[in-house]
Amino acid sequence: GENVEQHPSTLSVQEGDSAVIKCTYSDSASNYFPWYKQELGKRPQLIIDIRSNVGEKKDQRIAVTLNKTAKHFSLHITETQPEDSAVYFCAARGYSNTGNQFYFGTGTSLTVIP
Amino acid sequence: KAGVTQTPRYLIKTRGQQVTLSCSPISGHRSVSWYQQTPGQGLQFLFEYFSETQRNKGNFPGRFSGRQFSNSRSEMNVSTLELGDSALYLCASRATGGLYTDTQYFGPGTRLTVL
């Protein structure tokens, strides 16, 4: 099955700086890569996603890039704000011997320092 | 539309007991997936149900089981609880049968503590 690795596990940035979180995956058949934000005590919320036929996608201050050859994808947050502080998870929809499922990274705890 | 709901939100059990968790998906969503979330392990996929059938299963022991009803509501059962089963259990629903039906919407989770 798929294996998703996420780095770094913790990240601290000054307000206004950029934050980058990187994920790698192992299965070249994976074709959908969402990113979730989970604030303390709350449910994971989808913030952006990308499909394998696209190299980059932006939504205001958030962007995701995908390199299929290298099997990695990254989340970029610009002009960070204190409310961006949360745990971020990447995921890949991959294939196991029982069908397709989502494989998650272990999360990055982002702290934005005012 | 109302979001994904889960009940109960908190549970405390002792080793050896069993527990049943419930998930109601977004109206019209027929796929429900369950995940176990623990610190350092992220989200681990348990299983997915679609139209009352389990279509996918993660790498968990047989003590973890589930089912889905005709109204798409799903239950997850854990028998013979172990201390290591303490976790946040999340369910997620998604639409099926059209374009871009990949997006999963998560419920608030059930926090299970095993003593």
Side-chain angles (χ1 to χ4, degrees):
Chain A
E2 175 64 277
N3 181 45
V4 176
E5 295 190 357
Q6 183 173 347
H7 300 281
S9 57
T10 60
L11 179 61
S12 291
V13 299
Q14 290 292 134
E15 182 177 358
D17 286 350
S18 295
V20 180
I21 303 170
K22 298 181 179 180
C23 289
T24 61
Y25 62 100
S26 59
D27 187 354
S28 57
S30 292
N31 59 9
Y32 174 64
F33 307 91
W35 284 89
Y36 288 87
K37 174 184 180 182
Q38 188 175 28
E39 296 176 75
L40 191 62
K42 297 192 175 180
R43 70 188 76 193
Q45 300 265 19
L46 178 75
I47 55 171
I48 196 167
D49 56 11
I50 192 167
R51 288 177 173 80
S52 57
N53 58 347
V54 175
E56 183 176 3
K57 183 177 179 181
K58 287 184 181 179
D59 183 3
Q60 298 182 354
R61 297 186 296 109
I62 295 173
V64 56
T65 57
L66 171 64
N67 183 325
K68 287 191 297 182
T69 304
K71 297 198 194 74
H72 68 71
F73 56 112
S74 299
L75 177 71
H76 304 253
I77 306 175
T78 59
E79 300 172 22
T80 53
Q81 301 167 3
E83 51 264 40
D84 294 329
S85 296
V87 178
Y88 292 80
F89 292 96
C90 63
R93 186 177 65 182
Y95 296 85
S96 68
N97 55 4
T98 58
N100 74 74
Q101 66 186 66
F102 287 89
Y103 296 83
F104 283 79
T106 51
T108 296
S109 178
L110 172 65
T111 302
V112 179
I113 304 165
Chain B
K1 286 184 179 177
V4 180
T5 58
Q6 291 185 245
T7 57
R9 294 293 311 280
Y10 302 92
L11 265 179
I12 299 175
K13 294 285 188 179
T14 56
R15 279 182 298 173
Q17 288 187 308
Q18 74 165 21
V19 66
T20 299
L21 314 181
S22 181
C23 172
S24 292
I26 291 172
S27 177
H29 287 191
R30 294 164 64 191
S31 166
V32 175
S33 296
W34 287 90
Y35 294 88
Q36 181 192 67
Q37 185 177 24
T38 55
Q41 290 292 316
L43 282 80
Q44 303 284 318
F45 173 74
L46 282 152
F47 27 66
E48 179 187 13
Y49 283 86
F50 175 73
S51 291
E52 302 178 65
T53 302
Q54 186 183 88
R55 65 191 295 184
N56 239 325
K57 190 176 190 305
N59 193 23
F60 277 81
R63 300 185 296 106
F64 292 82
S65 63
R67 59 178 175 168
Q68 187 180 35
F69 302 94
S70 58
N71 62 357
S72 294
R73 188 177 70 85
S74 178
E75 288 183 347
M76 190 191 95
N77 185 274
V78 187
S79 62
T80 320
L81 285 166
E82 300 177 359
L83 294 179
D85 296 333
S86 294
L88 180 67
Y89 290 88
L90 292 160
C91 76
S93 76
R94 62 186 179 95
T96 55
L99 286 177
Y100 302 127
T101 55
D102 313 295
T103 304
Q104 292 190 111
Y105 297 89
F106 282 89
T110 294
R111 172 74 63 185
L112 172 64
T113 302
V114 182
L115 303 177

